Amino acid sequence: MPEGFDLVVGLEVHCELSTATKLFCACPNAFGSEPNTNVCPVCLGLPGSLPVLNERAVEFAIRIGRALNCEVRPAVFHRKNYFYPDMPKDYQITQYDEPTNVDGFLELRDGSRVGIVRAHIEEDTGKSTHLGGSGRIHGADHSLIDYNRAGVPLVEIVSAPDITSAAQAREYVSELRAVLVATGASDGRMEEGSLRVDANVSVRPAGAAELGTRCEIKNLNSLRSLVRAIEHEAARQAALVSAGGVVRQETRHWDEEAGVTHPLRSKEEAYDYRYFPEPDLVPLVPDAELIERAEAAIGLMPAARRERLVALVGEGDSPGLADQVQTAIELSLDQLVLDAVAAGAEPRLALARAANEAAAKAEGARALSATAFAELLGLESAGTLSATQSKQVLAVLIDEGGAPAEIARRLGFEALEGGEVESIIDEVVAANTAEWERYLAGDEKVAGFLLGQVMKASKGRANGKIVAAALAKRRG
Amino acid sequence: MERISLAEVRHVAQLARLQLSDEELAVLQGELSSLLDHVEAIVALPTEGVAPTAHPLPLSNVLRPDVPGPCLEQRDALAAAPEAAEGRFLVPRILGEAP
Amino acid sequence: MTLLGRGVAGIAAAVRSKEASAREVLAESLAAIEQLEGELHCFHTVMAERAEAAAAALDEKVARGEDPGLLAGVPVALKDNMCTKGTVTTCSSRILENWVPPYDATVVTRLRAAGAVVVGKTNLDEFAMGSSTENSAFGPTRNPWDTARVPGGSSGGSAAAVAAGMVPLAYGSDTGGSIRQPASLCGVVGVKPTYGLVSRYGLVAFASSLDQIGPFTLSVADSALGLEAVAGHDPADSTSIDRPATSYAGLLEEGVEGLRVGLIEDFVSEVSPSCAEAARAAAEALGAAGAKVEEVSIPEVLHGLPAYYVIAPAEASSNLARYDGVRYGLRVGGPDVAAMNARTRGAGFGKEVRRRVMVGTYALSAGYYDAYYGQAQRVRTLVVEAFARAYERFDVLVAPMTPSEAFRLGEKTANPLDMYVSDVCAVPSNLAGHPAVSVPFALGAEGLPVGVQVLAPALGEGLMYRAAAVLEQAAPPAARGPVRPGGERRA
Ligand SMILES: [Zn+2]
């Protein structure tokens, strides 16, 4: 943060809910379908169609609210009116002044708390692609619209302006993502757009009580861009104010390549949303039973799970270990680690494989059999599989399931029988007598060469650790 | 003196996405003004403490189960589109991002 | 007697007993349409082929001994704002001139399931905004009693089609009198049911918190059947009342003995002498039949009209935003999407629709919401509460339906407010969500039919129909259809 200024950040996070269907119709809430195939009269906004609220979306929203310590209240859906071609009805059904969840907080890893102003339910829009010209929205000749995502349920989580640094913003989103995944309401995938973050950024002279004018930064597609964008925007505003300028309240777009924000338009001049109660829907008044059911379905929160995992693997002294713990928590892979350890796996190895390799396929990994995972880790610990081989087996195991030993055999990773290794060593010794003599004489520099020859002769099937041990044993 | 100015009428037409001629705007200015005069009868009514009625039915919590149902075929979805390409609705260029 | 002349119950009985086939009934209806349509212009679309196929299928069903349904073989017409899969649905608007819905409205599905044969789609004021059917982009409908006069609106095509004997049953939608007012002007029975009794799914929305679908018929008994066939819970409409459908037919003979009836005097003083006189005479007729009749003042009902003319346009301005040239309907091209939207909407909507979209947008806009929309909603509460107090003392209320008999084409088009006043007695029922019926009760000073309105509390259709049946008995037969164009009575 530039000298002499305080940073104030509030975040708005849009989270897509993992329901089977859309918010107001029975179309599948699915990715990757052919364009305009997950659509019906309701989500295409055809004349005469009417919305009916998805029960599960409501339950998910309440889970999120309760996990964020919100009060769950009676809510009224409103229409937010504005024209935009990716919005089929030219209004968005959302919650306005009476949202479902209000007044909560999220506690970060360092114990600091960020207030949650509200977490409300609303529908997503369709997706436009731009044709001709630059292929981006500016300068395109035409746009093509796919309404498959129109009507997908979202919860928008609005934080209080309690965040004071880019690093804290990153912590907040990281922890929030872990909470969302833990509730079972979201898959938390930021890169794929399941989680979208807008940042309201302002600066004020250090110690000043009054908030500065804020800018809303959009297009933050990763934690990295969130941090970079906030840092850049803070510097931009501070420089502006230092030079005697005034910050304009506006929406700005983060350009990841250029590393700058640029203005979109000023909100006040263009829009008047004319909110009014959605007459096609009735109020949502969650009763105690619904709230209890939602609460019961919430998993253990990240903080408690983190504690549990650290107790298992130890504090450690490398920052890498803490990162692995956080990744496992965020992606809900900690239970897998716990179960694998219970089945006999080595804790730190289990965590490393979960947080590094399994993380790339988190969804499949969460469904992985802990016994099979433990079995694989056992083969690696025993030296039967090298680390590289173990990682390859893990990838197959997540994708296809099965028994690790069997997969290893199929991949040709089956460790050679002791006798076979010995006979290959015999061949290598016979073919490289000079090098063998030097090795016997204590020349460590040829050890690698001999090991390489054996591995080569075994066509990679030998386990390096075992070969090295066998060579050392012959030298005595 | 009209109750609503021509500039306001023009602003409202913009909000409503209606392209209207100057003549049409002027006629609307008169019509909206006289309608607002008529509505004035209730604007002045004392309604302090009266809760608004958004809806005639005292219903709440109308929900449906999260079970997928049939969708339209892509060709039916696009059948009425003024223009379509690549399975999508085609529109002239969009100026400005969604809010 | 023709088959059509037997009415809804008579036709269904004849078809069910194989005395007549659905095809024969349909042939009469199509012939009447063919003969009269040129003079009256009730229809946008006559679905002759589809109707013939449906009638044939129904006859086969009867032949197989299956239950053909409550409305077996009854030809019905639908206001052209109800979606019909595969058949163009225009809302009488250029913006939807060629739109073919890929789905059926729930009422359409229910009517087909009940054995009704849909013969066509009828003319209306564009998007149901109007009281004369002159706001149709495709030309006005004429009143069969006097073709120089309007049939009322917005469901003028449906009302006139029943009045002229083209179909024994037609459906309209009533947002602020759009069924009852044309029913009154055309001498037929028109019902706006309790809000939520009939599904709105597939009814192109005008004002969502006010719109209800209801039947037009020549008799009260037919109306009861026509309502029963389409009423009942629909999970596709969140505002649908979740309770089993009821049959009203059995109630019609019960009379009004001992019922407490209030005549709303605030409306009586708002209307022409003929219309006021009809309402007073109706109250007397109910009294003569054993009801306890009193005059009652409910001054809040007169706030209904201005509240309505804020709430309905506000909801409409949002409901009609989707006609933007992107997904369906008219497109007038432009250099960018916003220009295309504005040109399409400017060219595709008629004057009245543009006017209401403007009013509604203004009433919801920043700085005016509370003074207009918010205040109208609070006044709506006052109207609802006033009715609630009245229904502590009365079982049903009686009132005039319209300020005058049918007016001449062009008579009220110059000043929108003149037209709006047509609905002064109608809109309070929409604001409260209560049922109301217009029953043909008299011929006015100009020799044209005059309806009387019976209002009941929510889900009070049974009481409403009982009173309506008594009024029907007391009314001169000359006050109701069917008539040939020009007012000559049909056989
Ligand atoms: Zn859908």
Side-chain angles (χ1 to χ4, degrees):
Chain A
M1 190 60 218
E3 195 85 16
F5 287 93
D6 287 341
L7 173 63
V8 177
V9 177
L11 296 176
E12 295 171 9
V13 175
H14 285 88
C15 163
E16 282 184 353
L17 303 182
S18 309
T19 52
T21 66
K22 295 187 179 183
L23 186 53
F24 297 118
C25 64
C27 289
N29 170 10
F31 269 105
S33 310
E34 285 294 302
N36 294 304
T37 54
N38 294 334
V39 293
C40 71
V42 177
C43 59
L44 272 183
L46 295 192
S49 65
L50 295 171
V52 186
L53 184 58
N54 181 339
E55 181 177 47
R56 189 130 178 104
V58 171
E59 197 210 303
F60 280 171
I62 296 174
R63 283 193 206 176
I64 291 173
R66 292 303 297 134
L68 295 173
N69 309 292
C70 289
E71 184 194 336
V72 177
R73 289 212 296 218
V76 175
F77 286 93
H78 276 64
R79 291 186 185 175
K80 180 182 184 181
N81 295 285
Y82 62 95
F83 285 88
Y84 206 75
D86 65 9
M87 208 166 46
K89 304 181 292 294
D90 289 300
Y91 57 80
Q92 180 192 30
I93 304 177
T94 181
Q95 295 176 336
Y96 180 52
D97 51 358
E98 298 172 75
T100 294
N101 302 301
V102 296
D103 258 346
F105 64 88
L106 176 65
E107 189 168 311
L108 306 189
R109 279 194 288 176
D110 63 2
S112 64
R113 278 185 180 187
V114 175
I116 304 293
V117 177
R118 54 192 281 148
H120 68 258
I121 307 170
E122 64 185 26
E123 57 179 342
D124 207 347
T125 60
K127 192 175 179 308
S128 30
T129 350
H130 309 292
L131 284 188
S134 62
R136 311 244 296 265
I137 189 165
H138 303 288
D141 297 327
H142 294 280
S143 294
L144 291 176
I145 306 171
D146 170 14
Y147 292 104
N148 279 349
R149 302 306 294 162
V152 161
L154 300 175
V155 165
E156 180 178 346
I157 300 145
V158 181
S159 88
D162 292 347
I163 297 164
T164 55
S165 70
Q168 195 189 9
R170 180 189 218 286
E171 268 299 304
Y172 169 82
V173 174
S174 163
E175 189 69 5
L176 179 62
R177 176 163 67 176
V179 168
L180 294 173
V181 174
T183 61
S186 164
D187 62 21
R189 286 180 296 200
M190 198 166 172
E191 285 71 14
E192 290 171 41
S194 304
L195 214 61
R196 303 195 287 266
V197 183
D198 299 334
N200 287 305
V201 178
S202 65
V203 299
R204 59 181 163 191
E210 207 171 311
L211 288 173
T213 305
R214 67 172 196 271
C215 292
E216 187 179 5
I217 317 296
K218 291 193 176 265
N219 192 39
L220 306 172
N221 298 322
S222 65
L223 291 176
R224 189 179 123 84
S225 46
L226 172 72
V227 170
R228 290 179 68 209
I230 291 174
E231 282 172 349
H232 167 271
E233 180 61 18
R236 184 190 74 83
Q237 291 183 15
L240 194 60
V241 174
S242 299
V246 192
V247 175
R248 264 164 59 98
Q249 182 166 344
E250 62 191 0
T251 303
R252 299 178 69 89
H253 183 90
W254 168 246
D255 183 335
E256 180 73 33
E257 262 170 55
V260 296
T261 62
H262 55 75
L264 286 177
R265 47 162 176 69
S266 175
K267 224 171 187 172
E268 301 63 43
E269 44 186 66
Y271 285 98
D272 174 352
Y273 295 122
R274 291 160 283 135
Y275 285 98
F276 74 102
E278 164 58 286
D280 289 331
L281 292 169
V282 301
L284 174 62
V285 186
D287 54 19
E289 192 246 317
L290 177 58
I291 297 173
E292 274 166 33
R293 180 149 44 95
E295 280 177 345
I298 300 174
L300 204 55
M301 280 300 104
R305 284 164 36 215
R306 194 178 296 115
E307 217 166 280
R308 199 173 56 165
L309 192 56
V310 168
L312 192 72
V313 299
E315 287 284 351
D317 35 22
S318 72
L321 190 67
D323 284 349
Q324 287 178 2
V325 167
Q326 184 60 10
T327 305
I329 299 296
E330 268 179 37
L331 299 177
S332 277
L333 291 169
D334 50 323
Q335 192 61 45
L336 177 68
V337 175
L338 256 56
D339 293 348
V341 171
E346 201 268 302
R348 287 206 182 174
L349 181 61
L351 176 61
R353 289 290 164 269
N356 297 330
E357 284 73 34
K361 299 167 177 276
E363 201 169 336
R366 284 194 283 271
L368 184 60
S369 144
T371 329
F373 186 46
E375 204 179 309
L376 173 65
L377 298 172
L379 293 173
E380 186 180 344
S381 297
T384 312
L385 290 177
S386 68
T388 315
Q389 290 172 335
S390 174
K391 290 172 189 176
Q392 292 182 46
V393 173
L394 180 57
V396 176
L397 189 62
I398 291 171
D399 288 344
E400 300 168 17
E406 162 60 27
I407 295 167
R409 238 190 322 276
R410 216 166 358 110
L411 294 176
F413 296 157
E414 188 183 10
L416 297 177
E417 294 294 319
E420 240 178 301
V421 172
E422 292 301 328
S423 65
I424 291 173
I425 292 175
D426 287 347
E427 285 167 29
V428 169
V429 168
N432 302 280
T433 45
E435 286 78 3
W436 181 245
E437 287 305 323
R438 280 167 54 201
Y439 178 67
L440 288 182
D443 185 350
E444 283 305 322
K445 278 180 274 179
V446 291
F449 168 78
L450 291 167
L451 177 65
Q453 291 299 307
V454 175
M455 292 306 290
K456 198 173 157 191
S458 78
K459 297 191 173 77
R461 290 168 63 224
N463 182 312
K465 278 188 194 166
I466 292 174
V467 174
L471 289 172
K473 195 176 166 202
R474 284 200 183 196
R475 185 163 65 174
Chain B
M1 182 64 196
E2 302 280 19
R3 190 174 281 278
I4 174 169
S5 74
L6 197 56
E8 276 182 296
V9 175
R10 188 168 282 123
H11 171 70
V12 173
Q14 252 161 24
L15 275 180
R17 282 275 160 98
L18 286 170
Q19 179 166 305
L20 299 169
S21 66
D22 286 348
E23 205 176 308
E24 287 167 327
L25 288 169
V27 170
L28 275 165
Q29 184 191 6
E31 289 173 346
L32 296 196
S33 294
S34 64
L35 183 64
L36 293 176
D37 283 340
H38 173 69
V39 166
E40 203 56 27
I42 59 160
V43 170
L45 279 181
T47 54
E48 267 180 36
V50 177
T53 296
H55 212 271
L57 284 178
L59 288 175
S60 63
N61 295 346
V62 175
L63 301 164
R64 67 180 174 82
D66 184 28
V67 178
C71 296
L72 293 173
E73 298 282 339
Q74 189 190 66
R75 63 168 186 280
D76 293 331
L78 296 171
E83 275 189 274
E86 298 171 32
R88 299 171 173 91
F89 295 84
L90 186 135
V91 296
R93 65 204 179 103
I94 302 170
L95 299 179
E97 322 255 343
Chain C
M1 193 187 211
T2 59
L3 289 166
L4 286 185
R6 299 188 193 192
V8 174
I11 292 169
V15 169
R16 194 177 293 116
S17 68
K18 301 187 200 166
E19 183 198 337
S21 69
R23 276 169 299 178
E24 290 171 86
V25 181
L26 174 64
E28 276 189 19
S29 175
L30 291 175
I33 294 170
E34 169 84 36
Q35 189 195 348
L36 306 173
E37 176 61 11
E39 272 178 280
L40 299 179
H41 187 222
C42 296
F43 286 87
H44 285 325
T45 311
V46 177
M47 301 150 67
E49 258 173 57
R50 270 199 80 164
E52 274 156 9
L58 195 89
D59 287 335
E60 281 166 33
K61 205 170 174 182
V62 174
R64 285 197 302 271
E66 292 171 36
D67 178 7
L70 189 66
L71 300 182
V74 176
V76 305
L78 302 171
K79 188 178 185 178
D80 204 19
N81 60 353
M82 301 176 203
C83 290
T84 42
K85 186 176 179 176
T87 299
V88 70
T89 298
T90 67
C91 295
S92 289
S93 181
R94 293 274 173 223
I95 217 159
L96 283 180
E97 189 167 0
N98 298 306
W99 183 58
V100 178
Y103 77 108
D104 273 325
T106 298
V107 284
V108 176
T109 310
R110 292 206 170 157
L111 284 170
R112 294 217 168 99
V117 175
V118 178
V119 297
K121 307 291 293 289
T122 60
N123 197 13
L124 62 146
D125 285 298
E126 184 178 4
F127 284 103
M129 297 178 188
S131 307
S132 68
T133 319
E134 291 167 291
N135 295 333
S136 168
F138 310 119
T141 295
R142 288 164 188 275
N143 191 320
W145 294 76
D146 176 352
T147 52
R149 301 198 184 227
V150 302
S154 65
S155 314
S158 284
V162 171
M166 295 161 136
V167 286
L169 174 61
Y171 290 85
S173 61
D174 189 317
T175 305
S178 279
I179 292 173
R180 293 162 288 154
Q181 183 258 13
S184 178
L185 268 43
C186 289
V188 299
V189 178
V191 167
K192 182 203 91 75
T194 301
Y195 185 89
L197 187 67
V198 179
S199 170
R200 292 185 297 117
Y201 190 75
L203 169 69
V204 179
F206 162 15
S208 311
S209 78
L210 304 164
D211 298 340
Q212 260 298 281
I213 291 173
F216 289 98
T217 54
L218 290 170
S219 73
V220 172
D222 283 358
S223 178
L225 283 179
L227 177 57
E228 185 185 340
V230 295
H233 182 239
D234 178 11
D237 176 358
S238 304
T239 62
S240 162
I241 298 173
D242 190 1
R243 59 165 234 175
T246 36
S247 175
Y248 309 104
L251 301 171
L252 300 178
E253 306 300 316
E254 286 189 14
V256 293
E257 179 87 52
L259 286 192
R260 301 164 302 166
V261 175
L263 173 64
I264 308 176
E265 61 186 28
D266 313 85
F267 285 144
V268 175
S269 51
E270 290 287 308
V271 302
S272 75
S274 306
C275 296
E277 181 43 40
R280 280 198 202 93
E284 277 167 31
L286 291 171
K292 285 179 278 185
V293 181
E294 259 182 67
E295 287 202 3
V296 55
S297 174
I298 314 175
E300 291 86 351
V301 294
L302 293 179
H303 300 320
L305 195 68
Y308 172 84
Y309 273 99
V310 172
I311 292 169
E315 292 184 13
S317 72
S318 175
N319 283 329
L320 270 59
R322 67 189 65 191
Y323 306 103
D324 59 4
V326 174
R327 291 157 299 276
Y328 42 77
L330 180 74
R331 172 183 291 186
V332 179
D336 61 78
V337 77
M340 182 277 281
N341 295 154
R343 290 179 187 185
T344 298
R345 294 164 60 76
F349 290 143
K351 275 203 180 101
E352 183 61 29
V353 172
R354 296 196 308 234
R355 197 179 288 139
R356 296 208 199 180
V357 165
M358 289 287 290
V359 170
T361 303
Y362 179 79
L364 290 174
S365 67
Y368 298 105
Y369 179 96
D370 202 59
Y372 290 106
Y373 187 75
Q375 176 70 355
Q377 281 193 320
R378 289 187 286 273
V379 171
R380 188 173 186 175
T381 305
L382 298 181
V383 173
V384 169
E385 289 173 348
F387 271 128
R389 283 193 300 275
Y391 285 122
E392 285 170 12
R393 293 172 51 205
F394 300 102
D395 298 301
V396 295
L397 299 168
V398 171
M401 187 66 250
T402 52
S404 69
E405 296 159 56
F407 41 93
R408 289 185 177 74
L409 272 88
E411 190 179 329
K412 298 191 189 220
T413 46
N415 182 354
L417 277 174
D418 287 349
M419 189 73 84
Y420 293 176
V421 169
S422 302
D423 294 321
V424 63
C425 305
V427 295
S429 300
N430 299 85
L431 292 171
H434 293 169
V437 57
S438 176
V439 188
F441 194 72
L443 286 178
E446 300 181 72
L448 294 166
V450 171
V452 163
Q453 191 174 205
V454 180
L455 301 83
L459 295 172
E461 275 81 0
L463 285 169
M464 175 192 84
Y465 273 132
R466 280 168 61 187
V470 168
L471 293 183
E472 182 177 51
Q473 288 299 314
R480 59 173 179 265
V483 291
R484 292 185 179 284
E488 183 196 338
R489 298 205 57 74
R490 283 174 68 90

